[in-house]
Amino acid sequence: MEVRVDERGKYFTPRVAKDAIDAFVRTRDQVIVGSIYVRPGNRLTDELNADTAPFLPITGAQVFRATDETLLYRSDLLMVAYTSIVLITDLEALAEIRPTPWQAAAPDHENSLITSDIGLRVDEKGKFFSRRVAKDALPVLASADRLTVAGFMYVRPDRRLRDELNETESRFLPLTDARIYNTATEEQLYHAGFVLAAYAHIDSLSPTEAIADSRPVPWLSAHTEEEL
């Protein structure tokens, strides 16, 4: 390990170099856009789930009110409590389904609905696999705070959904092709190639096919049979 010593004999070790990622963070009341940092070669999912600190540092942060998306303030450094984060994703994973003020916050941003952070590939039958453990894609509907999320979660074959959720030690649940709605107004707010939903804020989660006798709502038709 490289160590340096200052003129007073105090020892310093170098910090681990990290790569900046333009991130989109949704809390209960705010949208935060800024840079977070991951170790080279590390996925955002793994970086956040392995972090044991109570706060996530965000630099170059722009903070918007969630209800009307008004810019509230900017901060060179913002410490965000993990307990307040409802959803988080790479800004590039968001599609432009409507004009948003943070599009101007990242002028070089290209919307590509990326899913690379999840590390998934798809075989000829449409089955999803991770680099580590083969998993089946399960369309689910999750209620997270005042948001409704329709997306795909990944369950190991022959594994019960309750066990997959109850035995996790992760902070965040990865979901792909996620449509995110305001539960009260039923307006679609975001569409992300992948998003990390905080377990602490998930109120309920159900396989989409298990839902019956519901009035027509946009999130139940988010993934049609043709898409599946």
Side-chain angles (χ1 to χ4, degrees), residues 124-159:
E124 66 280 359
K125 295 182 180 180
K127 188 173 181 180
F128 287 74
F129 295 88
S130 72
R131 299 189 187 115
R132 301 169 185 171
V133 180
K135 294 185 179 182
D136 294 326
L138 178 67
V140 296
L141 195 67
S143 172
D145 206 300
R146 291 171 288 187
L147 304 174
T148 298
V149 185
F152 292 89
M153 70 168 288
Y154 298 89
V155 182
R156 285 165 285 182
D158 303 320
R159 179 84 165 166

PDB file of all heavy atoms in Angstrom, residues 124-159:
ATOM      1  N   GLU A 124     -32.589 -17.083 -26.560  1.00  0.00           N
ATOM      2  CA  GLU A 124     -33.524 -17.024 -27.687  1.00  0.00           C
ATOM      3  C   GLU A 124     -34.969 -17.190 -27.252  1.00  0.00           C
ATOM      4  O   GLU A 124     -35.895 -16.854 -27.984  1.00  0.00           O
ATOM      5  CB  GLU A 124     -33.165 -18.108 -28.717  1.00  0.00           C
ATOM      6  CG  GLU A 124     -33.350 -19.548 -28.234  1.00  0.00           C
ATOM      7  CD  GLU A 124     -32.198 -20.029 -27.367  1.00  0.00           C
ATOM      8  OE1 GLU A 124     -31.255 -19.240 -27.158  1.00  0.00           O
ATOM      9  OE2 GLU A 124     -32.245 -21.180 -26.900  1.00  0.00           O
ATOM     10  N   LYS A 125     -35.214 -17.674 -26.027  1.00  0.00           N
ATOM     11  CA  LYS A 125     -36.572 -17.833 -25.527  1.00  0.00           C
ATOM     12  C   LYS A 125     -37.007 -16.644 -24.671  1.00  0.00           C
ATOM     13  O   LYS A 125     -38.076 -16.669 -24.087  1.00  0.00           O
ATOM     14  CB  LYS A 125     -36.674 -19.125 -24.707  1.00  0.00           C
ATOM     15  CG  LYS A 125     -36.443 -20.380 -25.543  1.00  0.00           C
ATOM     16  CD  LYS A 125     -36.602 -21.635 -24.684  1.00  0.00           C
ATOM     17  CE  LYS A 125     -36.372 -22.881 -25.511  1.00  0.00           C
ATOM     18  NZ  LYS A 125     -36.515 -24.114 -24.690  1.00  0.00           N
ATOM     19  N   GLY A 126     -36.168 -15.649 -24.586  1.00  0.00           N
ATOM     20  CA  GLY A 126     -36.512 -14.477 -23.806  1.00  0.00           C
ATOM     21  C   GLY A 126     -36.259 -14.626 -22.328  1.00  0.00           C
ATOM     22  O   GLY A 126     -36.723 -13.813 -21.531  1.00  0.00           O
ATOM     23  N   LYS A 127     -35.504 -15.656 -21.925  1.00  0.00           N
ATOM     24  CA  LYS A 127     -35.193 -15.848 -20.525  1.00  0.00           C
ATOM     25  C   LYS A 127     -33.980 -15.022 -20.147  1.00  0.00           C
ATOM     26  O   LYS A 127     -33.009 -14.956 -20.901  1.00  0.00           O
ATOM     27  CB  LYS A 127     -34.917 -17.326 -20.237  1.00  0.00           C
ATOM     28  CG  LYS A 127     -34.760 -17.647 -18.751  1.00  0.00           C
ATOM     29  CD  LYS A 127     -34.658 -19.144 -18.529  1.00  0.00           C
ATOM     30  CE  LYS A 127     -34.539 -19.463 -17.056  1.00  0.00           C
ATOM     31  NZ  LYS A 127     -34.438 -20.919 -16.807  1.00  0.00           N
ATOM     32  N   PHE A 128     -34.045 -14.376 -18.986  1.00  0.00           N
ATOM     33  CA  PHE A 128     -32.969 -13.496 -18.540  1.00  0.00           C
ATOM     34  C   PHE A 128     -31.976 -14.271 -17.683  1.00  0.00           C
ATOM     35  O   PHE A 128     -32.350 -15.100 -16.874  1.00  0.00           O
ATOM     36  CB  PHE A 128     -33.544 -12.325 -17.722  1.00  0.00           C
ATOM     37  CG  PHE A 128     -34.260 -11.312 -18.555  1.00  0.00           C
ATOM     38  CD1 PHE A 128     -35.507 -11.581 -19.089  1.00  0.00           C
ATOM     39  CD2 PHE A 128     -33.692 -10.081 -18.809  1.00  0.00           C
ATOM     40  CE1 PHE A 128     -36.172 -10.637 -19.853  1.00  0.00           C
ATOM     41  CE2 PHE A 128     -34.349  -9.129 -19.567  1.00  0.00           C
ATOM     42  CZ  PHE A 128     -35.593  -9.424 -20.088  1.00  0.00           C
ATOM     43  N   PHE A 129     -30.698 -13.959 -17.874  1.00  0.00           N
ATOM     44  CA  PHE A 129     -29.652 -14.569 -17.075  1.00  0.00           C
ATOM     45  C   PHE A 129     -28.722 -13.475 -16.573  1.00  0.00           C
ATOM     46  O   PHE A 129     -28.405 -12.535 -17.294  1.00  0.00           O
ATOM     47  CB  PHE A 129     -28.821 -15.564 -17.900  1.00  0.00           C
ATOM     48  CG  PHE A 129     -29.608 -16.751 -18.377  1.00  0.00           C
ATOM     49  CD1 PHE A 129     -30.299 -16.706 -19.583  1.00  0.00           C
ATOM     50  CD2 PHE A 129     -29.664 -17.900 -17.619  1.00  0.00           C
ATOM     51  CE1 PHE A 129     -31.028 -17.795 -20.014  1.00  0.00           C
ATOM     52  CE2 PHE A 129     -30.387 -18.993 -18.048  1.00  0.00           C
ATOM     53  CZ  PHE A 129     -31.068 -18.952 -19.250  1.00  0.00           C
ATOM     54  N   SER A 130     -28.262 -13.608 -15.350  1.00  0.00           N
ATOM     55  CA  SER A 130     -27.221 -12.729 -14.847  1.00  0.00           C
ATOM     56  C   SER A 130     -25.879 -13.379 -15.100  1.00  0.00           C
ATOM     57  O   SER A 130     -25.797 -14.538 -15.490  1.00  0.00           O
ATOM     58  CB  SER A 130     -27.403 -12.467 -13.344  1.00  0.00           C
ATOM     59  OG  SER A 130     -27.079 -13.622 -12.618  1.00  0.00           O
ATOM     60  N   ARG A 131     -24.799 -12.636 -14.883  1.00  0.00           N
ATOM     61  CA  ARG A 131     -23.473 -13.188 -15.077  1.00  0.00           C
ATOM     62  C   ARG A 131     -23.177 -14.278 -14.056  1.00  0.00           C
ATOM     63  O   ARG A 131     -22.303 -15.092 -14.244  1.00  0.00           O
ATOM     64  CB  ARG A 131     -22.420 -12.075 -14.939  1.00  0.00           C
ATOM     65  CG  ARG A 131     -22.568 -10.954 -15.956  1.00  0.00           C
ATOM     66  CD  ARG A 131     -21.369 -10.023 -15.880  1.00  0.00           C
ATOM     67  NE  ARG A 131     -21.549  -8.856 -16.715  1.00  0.00           N
ATOM     68  CZ  ARG A 131     -21.652  -7.624 -16.257  1.00  0.00           C
ATOM     69  NH1 ARG A 131     -21.617  -7.400 -14.955  1.00  0.00           N
ATOM     70  NH2 ARG A 131     -21.789  -6.609 -17.077  1.00  0.00           N
ATOM     71  N   ARG A 132     -23.906 -14.273 -12.944  1.00  0.00           N
ATOM     72  CA  ARG A 132     -23.585 -15.184 -11.852  1.00  0.00           C
ATOM     73  C   ARG A 132     -24.566 -16.341 -11.778  1.00  0.00           C
ATOM     74  O   ARG A 132     -24.208 -17.483 -11.890  1.00  0.00           O
ATOM     75  CB  ARG A 132     -23.568 -14.427 -10.524  1.00  0.00           C
ATOM     76  CG  ARG A 132     -22.555 -13.289 -10.508  1.00  0.00           C
ATOM     77  CD  ARG A 132     -22.744 -12.407  -9.294  1.00  0.00           C
ATOM     78  NE  ARG A 132     -21.860 -11.251  -9.330  1.00  0.00           N
ATOM     79  CZ  ARG A 132     -21.939 -10.244  -8.501  1.00  0.00           C
ATOM     80  NH1 ARG A 132     -22.866 -10.225  -7.569  1.00  0.00           N
ATOM     81  NH2 ARG A 132     -21.102  -9.222  -8.586  1.00  0.00           N
ATOM     82  N   VAL A 133     -25.846 -16.017 -11.550  1.00  0.00           N
ATOM     83  CA  VAL A 133     -26.850 -17.047 -11.345  1.00  0.00           C
ATOM     84  C   VAL A 133     -27.977 -16.845 -12.348  1.00  0.00           C
ATOM     85  O   VAL A 133     -28.484 -15.741 -12.505  1.00  0.00           O
ATOM     86  CB  VAL A 133     -27.425 -16.973  -9.905  1.00  0.00           C
ATOM     87  CG1 VAL A 133     -28.465 -18.059  -9.695  1.00  0.00           C
ATOM     88  CG2 VAL A 133     -26.305 -17.092  -8.885  1.00  0.00           C
ATOM     89  N   ALA A 134     -28.357 -17.935 -13.030  1.00  0.00           N
ATOM     90  CA  ALA A 134     -29.482 -17.845 -13.963  1.00  0.00           C
ATOM     91  C   ALA A 134     -30.748 -17.475 -13.204  1.00  0.00           C
ATOM     92  O   ALA A 134     -31.032 -18.031 -12.147  1.00  0.00           O
ATOM     93  CB  ALA A 134     -29.667 -19.173 -14.678  1.00  0.00           C
ATOM     94  N   LYS A 135     -31.513 -16.532 -13.747  1.00  0.00           N
ATOM     95  CA  LYS A 135     -32.726 -16.084 -13.085  1.00  0.00           C
ATOM     96  C   LYS A 135     -33.842 -15.910 -14.110  1.00  0.00           C
ATOM     97  O   LYS A 135     -33.593 -15.676 -15.288  1.00  0.00           O
ATOM     98  CB  LYS A 135     -32.488 -14.749 -12.356  1.00  0.00           C
ATOM     99  CG  LYS A 135     -31.505 -14.851 -11.188  1.00  0.00           C
ATOM    100  CD  LYS A 135     -31.411 -13.545 -10.431  1.00  0.00           C
ATOM    101  CE  LYS A 135     -30.448 -13.655  -9.257  1.00  0.00           C
ATOM    102  NZ  LYS A 135     -30.370 -12.403  -8.479  1.00  0.00           N
ATOM    103  N   ASP A 136     -35.054 -16.041 -13.636  1.00  0.00           N
ATOM    104  CA  ASP A 136     -36.229 -15.830 -14.475  1.00  0.00           C
ATOM    105  C   ASP A 136     -36.755 -14.416 -14.282  1.00  0.00           C
ATOM    106  O   ASP A 136     -36.779 -13.907 -13.164  1.00  0.00           O
ATOM    107  CB  ASP A 136     -37.334 -16.824 -14.117  1.00  0.00           C
ATOM    108  CG  ASP A 136     -36.951 -18.257 -14.446  1.00  0.00           C
ATOM    109  OD1 ASP A 136     -36.247 -18.456 -15.437  1.00  0.00           O
ATOM    110  OD2 ASP A 136     -37.351 -19.166 -13.695  1.00  0.00           O
ATOM    111  N   ALA A 137     -37.168 -13.801 -15.381  1.00  0.00           N
ATOM    112  CA  ALA A 137     -37.749 -12.466 -15.310  1.00  0.00           C
ATOM    113  C   ALA A 137     -39.205 -12.577 -14.888  1.00  0.00           C
ATOM    114  O   ALA A 137     -39.978 -13.319 -15.481  1.00  0.00           O
ATOM    115  CB  ALA A 137     -37.645 -11.773 -16.667  1.00  0.00           C
ATOM    116  N   LEU A 138     -39.565 -11.852 -13.854  1.00  0.00           N
ATOM    117  CA  LEU A 138     -40.924 -11.887 -13.321  1.00  0.00           C
ATOM    118  C   LEU A 138     -41.516 -10.487 -13.355  1.00  0.00           C
ATOM    119  O   LEU A 138     -41.003  -9.582 -12.687  1.00  0.00           O
ATOM    120  CB  LEU A 138     -40.905 -12.410 -11.890  1.00  0.00           C
ATOM    121  CG  LEU A 138     -42.257 -12.466 -11.155  1.00  0.00           C
ATOM    122  CD1 LEU A 138     -43.162 -13.508 -11.797  1.00  0.00           C
ATOM    123  CD2 LEU A 138     -42.052 -12.769  -9.668  1.00  0.00           C
ATOM    124  N   PRO A 139     -42.591 -10.271 -14.135  1.00  0.00           N
ATOM    125  CA  PRO A 139     -43.239  -8.955 -14.111  1.00  0.00           C
ATOM    126  C   PRO A 139     -43.917  -8.727 -12.760  1.00  0.00           C
ATOM    127  O   PRO A 139     -44.692  -9.560 -12.310  1.00  0.00           O
ATOM    128  CB  PRO A 139     -44.275  -9.019 -15.238  1.00  0.00           C
ATOM    129  CG  PRO A 139     -44.138 -10.345 -15.876  1.00  0.00           C
ATOM    130  CD  PRO A 139     -43.248 -11.198 -15.057  1.00  0.00           C
ATOM    131  N   VAL A 140     -43.589  -7.598 -12.142  1.00  0.00           N
ATOM    132  CA  VAL A 140     -44.139  -7.317 -10.821  1.00  0.00           C
ATOM    133  C   VAL A 140     -44.671  -5.897 -10.766  1.00  0.00           C
ATOM    134  O   VAL A 140     -44.311  -5.042 -11.583  1.00  0.00           O
ATOM    135  CB  VAL A 140     -43.088  -7.509  -9.699  1.00  0.00           C
ATOM    136  CG1 VAL A 140     -42.634  -8.952  -9.623  1.00  0.00           C
ATOM    137  CG2 VAL A 140     -41.901  -6.567  -9.888  1.00  0.00           C
ATOM    138  N   LEU A 141     -45.504  -5.674  -9.783  1.00  0.00           N
ATOM    139  CA  LEU A 141     -46.034  -4.347  -9.484  1.00  0.00           C
ATOM    140  C   LEU A 141     -45.654  -4.039  -8.047  1.00  0.00           C
ATOM    141  O   LEU A 141     -45.993  -4.786  -7.137  1.00  0.00           O
ATOM    142  CB  LEU A 141     -47.545  -4.334  -9.654  1.00  0.00           C
ATOM    143  CG  LEU A 141     -48.220  -2.957  -9.725  1.00  0.00           C
ATOM    144  CD1 LEU A 141     -47.811  -2.242 -10.994  1.00  0.00           C
ATOM    145  CD2 LEU A 141     -49.735  -3.117  -9.682  1.00  0.00           C
ATOM    146  N   ALA A 142     -44.907  -2.951  -7.856  1.00  0.00           N
ATOM    147  CA  ALA A 142     -44.438  -2.584  -6.525  1.00  0.00           C
ATOM    148  C   ALA A 142     -44.981  -1.217  -6.146  1.00  0.00           C
ATOM    149  O   ALA A 142     -45.005  -0.286  -6.958  1.00  0.00           O
ATOM    150  CB  ALA A 142     -42.911  -2.572  -6.473  1.00  0.00           C
ATOM    151  N   SER A 143     -45.400  -1.109  -4.904  1.00  0.00           N
ATOM    152  CA  SER A 143     -45.793   0.175  -4.339  1.00  0.00           C
ATOM    153  C   SER A 143     -44.652   0.660  -3.467  1.00  0.00           C
ATOM    154  O   SER A 143     -44.244  -0.028  -2.525  1.00  0.00           O
ATOM    155  CB  SER A 143     -47.073   0.019  -3.514  1.00  0.00           C
ATOM    156  OG  SER A 143     -47.367   1.214  -2.815  1.00  0.00           O
ATOM    157  N   ALA A 144     -44.113   1.820  -3.798  1.00  0.00           N
ATOM    158  CA  ALA A 144     -42.972   2.364  -3.059  1.00  0.00           C
ATOM    159  C   ALA A 144     -43.277   3.803  -2.698  1.00  0.00           C
ATOM    160  O   ALA A 144     -43.266   4.693  -3.545  1.00  0.00           O
ATOM    161  CB  ALA A 144     -41.696   2.289  -3.901  1.00  0.00           C
ATOM    162  N   ASP A 145     -43.596   4.015  -1.437  1.00  0.00           N
ATOM    163  CA  ASP A 145     -43.980   5.328  -0.953  1.00  0.00           C
ATOM    164  C   ASP A 145     -45.223   5.781  -1.714  1.00  0.00           C
ATOM    165  O   ASP A 145     -46.239   5.102  -1.695  1.00  0.00           O
ATOM    166  CB  ASP A 145     -42.824   6.327  -1.092  1.00  0.00           C
ATOM    167  CG  ASP A 145     -42.916   7.461  -0.077  1.00  0.00           C
ATOM    168  OD1 ASP A 145     -43.929   8.175  -0.117  1.00  0.00           O
ATOM    169  OD2 ASP A 145     -42.017   7.608   0.749  1.00  0.00           O
ATOM    170  N   ARG A 146     -45.166   6.877  -2.458  1.00  0.00           N
ATOM    171  CA  ARG A 146     -46.337   7.338  -3.205  1.00  0.00           C
ATOM    172  C   ARG A 146     -46.191   7.059  -4.701  1.00  0.00           C
ATOM    173  O   ARG A 146     -46.827   7.696  -5.535  1.00  0.00           O
ATOM    174  CB  ARG A 146     -46.529   8.831  -2.953  1.00  0.00           C
ATOM    175  CG  ARG A 146     -46.956   9.147  -1.533  1.00  0.00           C
ATOM    176  CD  ARG A 146     -46.947  10.624  -1.224  1.00  0.00           C
ATOM    177  NE  ARG A 146     -45.590  11.151  -1.105  1.00  0.00           N
ATOM    178  CZ  ARG A 146     -45.286  12.381  -0.709  1.00  0.00           C
ATOM    179  NH1 ARG A 146     -46.269  13.204  -0.393  1.00  0.00           N
ATOM    180  NH2 ARG A 146     -44.047  12.783  -0.616  1.00  0.00           N
ATOM    181  N   LEU A 147     -45.361   6.078  -5.029  1.00  0.00           N
ATOM    182  CA  LEU A 147     -45.104   5.701  -6.408  1.00  0.00           C
ATOM    183  C   LEU A 147     -45.537   4.263  -6.644  1.00  0.00           C
ATOM    184  O   LEU A 147     -45.509   3.431  -5.740  1.00  0.00           O
ATOM    185  CB  LEU A 147     -43.616   5.845  -6.738  1.00  0.00           C
ATOM    186  CG  LEU A 147     -42.992   7.226  -6.509  1.00  0.00           C
ATOM    187  CD1 LEU A 147     -41.489   7.158  -6.732  1.00  0.00           C
ATOM    188  CD2 LEU A 147     -43.619   8.265  -7.441  1.00  0.00           C
ATOM    189  N   THR A 148     -45.929   3.983  -7.883  1.00  0.00           N
ATOM    190  CA  THR A 148     -46.211   2.620  -8.310  1.00  0.00           C
ATOM    191  C   THR A 148     -45.240   2.273  -9.424  1.00  0.00           C
ATOM    192  O   THR A 148     -45.108   3.029 -10.391  1.00  0.00           O
ATOM    193  CB  THR A 148     -47.654   2.477  -8.812  1.00  0.00           C
ATOM    194  OG1 THR A 148     -48.555   2.781  -7.730  1.00  0.00           O
ATOM    195  CG2 THR A 148     -47.930   1.062  -9.298  1.00  0.00           C
ATOM    196  N   VAL A 149     -44.553   1.149  -9.291  1.00  0.00           N
ATOM    197  CA  VAL A 149     -43.521   0.755 -10.244  1.00  0.00           C
ATOM    198  C   VAL A 149     -43.919  -0.573 -10.887  1.00  0.00           C
ATOM    199  O   VAL A 149     -44.152  -1.571 -10.188  1.00  0.00           O
ATOM    200  CB  VAL A 149     -42.147   0.595  -9.564  1.00  0.00           C
ATOM    201  CG1 VAL A 149     -41.071   0.297 -10.614  1.00  0.00           C
ATOM    202  CG2 VAL A 149     -41.795   1.853  -8.769  1.00  0.00           C
ATOM    203  N   ALA A 150     -44.017  -0.573 -12.212  1.00  0.00           N
ATOM    204  CA  ALA A 150     -44.250  -1.796 -12.974  1.00  0.00           C
ATOM    205  C   ALA A 150     -42.951  -2.142 -13.687  1.00  0.00           C
ATOM    206  O   ALA A 150     -42.457  -1.352 -14.495  1.00  0.00           O
ATOM    207  CB  ALA A 150     -45.382  -1.605 -13.983  1.00  0.00           C
ATOM    208  N   GLY A 151     -42.395  -3.304 -13.380  1.00  0.00           N
ATOM    209  CA  GLY A 151     -41.121  -3.680 -13.985  1.00  0.00           C
ATOM    210  C   GLY A 151     -40.860  -5.160 -13.829  1.00  0.00           C
ATOM    211  O   GLY A 151     -41.741  -5.928 -13.428  1.00  0.00           O
ATOM    212  N   PHE A 152     -39.648  -5.572 -14.151  1.00  0.00           N
ATOM    213  CA  PHE A 152     -39.247  -6.968 -14.052  1.00  0.00           C
ATOM    214  C   PHE A 152     -38.227  -7.127 -12.928  1.00  0.00           C
ATOM    215  O   PHE A 152     -37.229  -6.408 -12.880  1.00  0.00           O
ATOM    216  CB  PHE A 152     -38.609  -7.444 -15.361  1.00  0.00           C
ATOM    217  CG  PHE A 152     -39.574  -7.525 -16.519  1.00  0.00           C
ATOM    218  CD1 PHE A 152     -39.803  -6.430 -17.336  1.00  0.00           C
ATOM    219  CD2 PHE A 152     -40.250  -8.708 -16.783  1.00  0.00           C
ATOM    220  CE1 PHE A 152     -40.685  -6.503 -18.398  1.00  0.00           C
ATOM    221  CE2 PHE A 152     -41.141  -8.792 -17.849  1.00  0.00           C
ATOM    222  CZ  PHE A 152     -41.361  -7.688 -18.656  1.00  0.00           C
ATOM    223  N   MET A 153     -38.485  -8.067 -12.027  1.00  0.00           N
ATOM    224  CA  MET A 153     -37.474  -8.466 -11.062  1.00  0.00           C
ATOM    225  C   MET A 153     -37.005  -9.871 -11.430  1.00  0.00           C
ATOM    226  O   MET A 153     -37.631 -10.544 -12.255  1.00  0.00           O
ATOM    227  CB  MET A 153     -37.984  -8.407  -9.626  1.00  0.00           C
ATOM    228  CG  MET A 153     -39.008  -9.450  -9.241  1.00  0.00           C
ATOM    229  SD  MET A 153     -39.300  -9.514  -7.441  1.00  0.00           S
ATOM    230  CE  MET A 153     -37.765 -10.273  -6.873  1.00  0.00           C
ATOM    231  N   TYR A 154     -35.931 -10.321 -10.808  1.00  0.00           N
ATOM    232  CA  TYR A 154     -35.291 -11.551 -11.246  1.00  0.00           C
ATOM    233  C   TYR A 154     -35.188 -12.533 -10.090  1.00  0.00           C
ATOM    234  O   TYR A 154     -34.630 -12.222  -9.039  1.00  0.00           O
ATOM    235  CB  TYR A 154     -33.920 -11.228 -11.863  1.00  0.00           C
ATOM    236  CG  TYR A 154     -34.143 -10.343 -13.060  1.00  0.00           C
ATOM    237  CD1 TYR A 154     -34.183  -8.959 -12.913  1.00  0.00           C
ATOM    238  CD2 TYR A 154     -34.434 -10.877 -14.296  1.00  0.00           C
ATOM    239  CE1 TYR A 154     -34.491  -8.141 -13.985  1.00  0.00           C
ATOM    240  CE2 TYR A 154     -34.741 -10.068 -15.377  1.00  0.00           C
ATOM    241  CZ  TYR A 154     -34.771  -8.702 -15.215  1.00  0.00           C
ATOM    242  OH  TYR A 154     -35.085  -7.893 -16.272  1.00  0.00           O
ATOM    243  N   VAL A 155     -35.792 -13.710 -10.313  1.00  0.00           N
ATOM    244  CA  VAL A 155     -35.903 -14.734  -9.284  1.00  0.00           C
ATOM    245  C   VAL A 155     -35.205 -15.996  -9.775  1.00  0.00           C
ATOM    246  O   VAL A 155     -35.384 -16.411 -10.925  1.00  0.00           O
ATOM    247  CB  VAL A 155     -37.385 -15.034  -8.972  1.00  0.00           C
ATOM    248  CG1 VAL A 155     -37.511 -16.070  -7.866  1.00  0.00           C
ATOM    249  CG2 VAL A 155     -38.121 -13.753  -8.596  1.00  0.00           C
ATOM    250  N   ARG A 156     -34.418 -16.602  -8.903  1.00  0.00           N
ATOM    251  CA  ARG A 156     -33.749 -17.838  -9.274  1.00  0.00           C
ATOM    252  C   ARG A 156     -34.777 -18.938  -9.542  1.00  0.00           C
ATOM    253  O   ARG A 156     -35.801 -19.015  -8.863  1.00  0.00           O
ATOM    254  CB  ARG A 156     -32.796 -18.270  -8.161  1.00  0.00           C
ATOM    255  CG  ARG A 156     -31.522 -17.446  -8.109  1.00  0.00           C
ATOM    256  CD  ARG A 156     -30.785 -17.645  -6.802  1.00  0.00           C
ATOM    257  NE  ARG A 156     -31.441 -16.940  -5.710  1.00  0.00           N
ATOM    258  CZ  ARG A 156     -30.983 -16.909  -4.461  1.00  0.00           C
ATOM    259  NH1 ARG A 156     -29.873 -17.558  -4.158  1.00  0.00           N
ATOM    260  NH2 ARG A 156     -31.626 -16.239  -3.531  1.00  0.00           N
ATOM    261  N   PRO A 157     -34.530 -19.799 -10.551  1.00  0.00           N
ATOM    262  CA  PRO A 157     -35.487 -20.869 -10.870  1.00  0.00           C
ATOM    263  C   PRO A 157     -35.799 -21.724  -9.647  1.00  0.00           C
ATOM    264  O   PRO A 157     -34.930 -22.000  -8.810  1.00  0.00           O
ATOM    265  CB  PRO A 157     -34.756 -21.684 -11.945  1.00  0.00           C
ATOM    266  CG  PRO A 157     -33.801 -20.720 -12.569  1.00  0.00           C
ATOM    267  CD  PRO A 157     -33.365 -19.805 -11.450  1.00  0.00           C
ATOM    268  N   ASP A 158     -37.075 -22.122  -9.544  1.00  0.00           N
ATOM    269  CA  ASP A 158     -37.548 -22.957  -8.436  1.00  0.00           C
ATOM    270  C   ASP A 158     -37.427 -22.255  -7.081  1.00  0.00           C
ATOM    271  O   ASP A 158     -37.412 -22.903  -6.032  1.00  0.00           O
ATOM    272  CB  ASP A 158     -36.795 -24.294  -8.388  1.00  0.00           C
ATOM    273  CG  ASP A 158     -36.916 -25.072  -9.684  1.00  0.00           C
ATOM    274  OD1 ASP A 158     -38.014 -25.062 -10.259  1.00  0.00           O
ATOM    275  OD2 ASP A 158     -35.910 -25.653 -10.120  1.00  0.00           O
ATOM    276  N   ARG A 159     -37.349 -20.956  -7.111  1.00  0.00           N
ATOM    277  CA  ARG A 159     -37.240 -20.169  -5.889  1.00  0.00           C
ATOM    278  C   ARG A 159     -38.549 -19.419  -5.676  1.00  0.00           C
ATOM    279  O   ARG A 159     -39.091 -18.808  -6.595  1.00  0.00           O
ATOM    280  CB  ARG A 159     -36.085 -19.180  -6.041  1.00  0.00           C
ATOM    281  CG  ARG A 159     -35.857 -18.259  -4.870  1.00  0.00           C
ATOM    282  CD  ARG A 159     -35.034 -18.905  -3.821  1.00  0.00           C
ATOM    283  NE  ARG A 159     -34.522 -17.901  -2.878  1.00  0.00           N
ATOM    284  CZ  ARG A 159     -33.990 -18.211  -1.715  1.00  0.00           C
ATOM    285  NH1 ARG A 159     -33.878 -19.483  -1.366  1.00  0.00           N
ATOM    286  NH2 ARG A 159     -33.556 -17.285  -0.901  1.00  0.00           N
TER     287      ARG A 159
END
